[in-house]
Amino acid sequence: MSTYSYEVAKGHGLPHNPFKAIVAPRPIGWISTRSPEGTLNLAPYSFFNAVCDTPPIVMFSSSGYKDSVTNVDASGEFVFNLATEDLKDAMNVSSAPYPHGTSEFEKAGLTAAASTLIGTPRVAEAKAAFECRHLQTLRLAGLDGRQADNWVVFGEVVAVHIDESVLVDGLFDVTRARPLARLGYMDYSVVDAVFQMTRPRA
């Protein structure tokens, strides 16, 4: 087996950077926020994940101090909405670089549903949503110590909403929800199959 190797500082030498294609699939953090002026914002982030379950904490990372980060820092809250195959076009519409003060809910034709414990609404059409309260925002830095224009936002999940159509015998059925996953380049995938393995005992 031959291996293509490169040092990041010297460039990858390929038509496109393979980094995000290798770290895939990634769940999409479809984050809704409210600005101090009251405008609703909705944006998908491909650097998103859960980081622990006790307490339940999620994070998303933004390249640039964008409206989502600004709004979370100001309001102390956000909602993660599950992006699924049936909402792929709406999710894509919400990713456009609209001018400040534009509501992606309106642009994408989505319904804002009231949350239970926070003031920021969720996407009513989403199969699942997490209401989150802000824990901290970190600005990242590289090995050289220079601060990057990348910001990681952490939030604790305080309320959960699940469409009952994707619950089977009390379990969240990912094959019914069909969540979108971000790959590299302009590629996406859909989670529509699962298999099980039993963890071995030492």
Side-chain angles (χ1 to χ4, degrees):
M1 181 180 72
S2 62
T3 301
Y4 184 88
S5 303
Y6 65 91
E7 297 178 27
V8 172
K10 296 179 180 178
H12 51 74
L14 298 170
H16 300 283
N17 191 339
F19 174 74
K20 290 190 285 186
I22 296 170
V23 185
R26 300 186 306 282
I28 297 170
W30 206 11
I31 306 299
S32 56
T33 59
R34 188 192 296 274
S35 74
E37 298 76 30
T39 303
L40 299 182
N41 184 271
L42 180 65
Y45 289 88
S46 69
F47 291 117
F48 165 86
N49 222 314
V51 294
C52 60
D53 61 1
T54 308
I57 294 174
V58 296
M59 57 72 65
F60 71 93
S61 178
S62 174
S63 296
Y65 196 78
K66 298 177 181 175
D67 285 347
S68 297
V69 183
T70 302
N71 293 346
V72 173
D73 282 347
S75 69
E77 59 187 41
F78 64 92
V79 179
F80 156 69
N81 304 277
L82 185 67
T84 48
E85 185 179 35
D86 58 320
L87 296 175
K88 68 182 189 310
D89 294 329
M91 183 278 298
N92 197 39
V93 167
S94 73
S95 71
Y98 298 110
H100 177 72
T102 301
S103 172
E104 289 82 1
F105 274 87
E106 295 179 7
K107 290 290 186 180
L110 296 166
T111 308
S115 292
T116 303
L117 297 177
I118 65 175
T120 299
R122 57 190 173 87
V123 174
E125 294 83 357
K127 297 293 191 300
F130 294 163
E131 297 179 25
C132 303
R133 289 209 171 105
H134 182 221
L135 292 172
Q136 60 178 317
T137 299
L138 298 178
R139 186 174 186 180
L140 300 180
L143 289 171
D144 59 5
R146 296 175 58 185
Q147 288 188 320
D149 191 21
N150 292 282
W151 309 79
V152 183
V153 177
F154 294 88
E156 183 171 337
V157 180
V158 295
V160 177
H161 304 271
I162 305 172
D163 188 319
E164 291 187 359
S165 69
V166 298
L167 288 175
V168 178
D169 297 328
L171 301 178
F172 182 83
D173 190 332
V174 70
T175 64
R176 288 196 177 192
R178 299 178 67 84
L180 292 174
R182 191 70 167 93
L183 307 177
Y185 318 121
M186 298 306 296
D187 299 333
Y188 294 81
S189 66
V190 174
V191 181
D192 58 5
V194 299
F195 63 90
Q196 296 181 337
M197 291 193 298
T198 302
R199 181 179 297 177
R201 295 182 179 181

